[in-house]
Amino acid sequence: ALELADEVARLISSHHLMSKKAALCAAQLVRTVPDLADTFAPLVAPLLAHPQHGVLLGGLSLLESLLMADPT
């Protein structure tokens, strides 16, 4: 999971079809390895401001995983 984190983080800021799937993958990675929350936390804000609703839903899923990993 740690090997994939950098690649997934890079894909989140690519084309909207890739960023949606990358956000969902990041959410699963954070659920599996909660220590990765710091890697993906800065990437949530652009996803939540994206005009495509699929990317927004992926961002919300990632946000939910981040909050479950570290509720503070």
Side-chain angles (χ1 to χ4, degrees):
L2 298 174
E3 297 83 21
L4 292 175
D6 291 333
E7 185 69 19
V8 172
R10 185 185 65 79
L11 289 173
I12 284 179
S13 59
S14 64
H15 190 266
H16 68 89
L17 293 175
M18 290 300 294
S19 61
K20 176 185 110 172
K21 299 211 183 273
L24 293 173
C25 182
Q28 187 61 42
L29 284 172
V30 170
R31 284 187 203 112
T32 306
V33 183
D35 292 339
L36 291 175
D38 293 336
T39 303
F40 295 110
L43 303 174
V44 173
L47 293 173
L48 297 179
H50 202 280
Q52 296 285 332
H53 72 276
V55 177
L56 176 62
L57 290 172
L60 288 172
S61 178
L62 177 55
L63 180 62
E64 180 184 18
S65 294
L66 290 171
L67 290 173
M68 289 188 323
D70 184 18
T72 58

